[in-house]
Amino acid sequence: MSTGTSTRVVRETKETKVQVELSRGPGAAKVDTGLKFFDHMLATFARYAGLELTLHARGDLRHHLMEDVAITLGTAVQRVVPATAARYGERTVPMDDALVQACLDAGGRFYYRGPLKNRLYEHWMRSFCEHSRITLHLRVLRGRDSHHLTEAAFKALGLALRDAMVDSGVVFSMKGSVTLEVE
């Protein structure tokens, strides 16, 4: 189901099963992956992005679970970005010792530049960007604590995406509206 403002995406493999329901709204989230910190990061992202998120996921390995959640959530986000979105967003978030900047373009082209200290969350960001068709430059400006850096990154990503998804009423592209068939 995809209506442009809400969507449901299910991904099932031999390794994982992920169900996502997503719509634009105030940012309430019900997340259950079995990984408490990851659940917290996903709920934080939804809150800061202004997305209503219901997500349930299970998997055999932490890596497989996190990657498939990134793929599924990224696909859902791509579906709810308005055709006339403002497209660009940039936010810098301080969190204790951490200072992280996220600059993004939700214009339909994938590119990711990091890195984060934690390789699983670095991989999550790359997979999320690929499947949401977002260009994201994530810069760690300061910080050593992996928890703070990761959380500041999810907050900065969410806030930048919130700004990019504002419906401007015009298409911000010299090419005009680009339509892709998704099967």
Side-chain angles (χ1 to χ4, degrees), residues 49-65:
L51 295 169
E52 298 292 305
L53 173 63
T54 301
L55 186 149
H56 184 272
R58 289 295 183 262
D60 61 348
L61 301 174
R62 181 180 300 249
H63 175 90
H64 293 155
L65 178 69

Side-chain angles (χ1 to χ4, degrees), residues 73-88:
L73 182 57
T75 301
V77 166
Q78 186 271 325
R79 291 180 180 179
V80 300
V81 173
T84 55
R87 188 172 159 175
Y88 300 100

Side-chain angles (χ1 to χ4, degrees), residues 1 36 40 52 79 104 133 137 148 162 164:
M1 169 186 82
K36 288 184 181 187
H40 177 53
E52 298 292 305
R79 291 180 180 179
L104 69 80
R133 298 185 185 140
H137 292 263
H148 295 155
R162 178 188 289 255

Side-chain angles (χ1 to χ4, degrees), residues 73-160:
L73 182 57
T75 301
V77 166
Q78 186 271 325
R79 291 180 180 179
V80 300
V81 173
T84 55
R87 188 172 159 175
Y88 300 100
E90 182 278 326
R91 289 298 182 99
T92 303
V93 171
M95 184 171 174
D96 298 334
D97 66 308
L99 183 64
V100 179
Q101 179 186 42
C103 300
L104 69 80
D105 173 4
R109 283 187 256 171
F110 156 66
Y111 181 82
Y112 172 74
R113 179 71 180 234
L116 283 174
K117 278 188 167 187
N118 184 300
R119 67 177 181 78
L120 284 173
Y121 285 97
E122 171 72 4
H123 185 63
W124 187 92
M125 289 287 180
R126 181 177 310 284
S127 297
F128 172 79
C129 290
E130 180 178 355
H131 292 274
S132 61
R133 298 185 185 140
I134 287 175
T135 293
L136 174 64
H137 292 263
L138 193 62
R139 295 188 329 153
V140 172
L141 302 170
R142 286 193 186 87
R144 293 182 182 191
D145 184 282
S146 182
H147 173 113
H148 295 155
L149 290 168
T150 302
E151 190 162 349
F154 273 82
K155 288 177 177 179
L157 171 62
L159 288 168

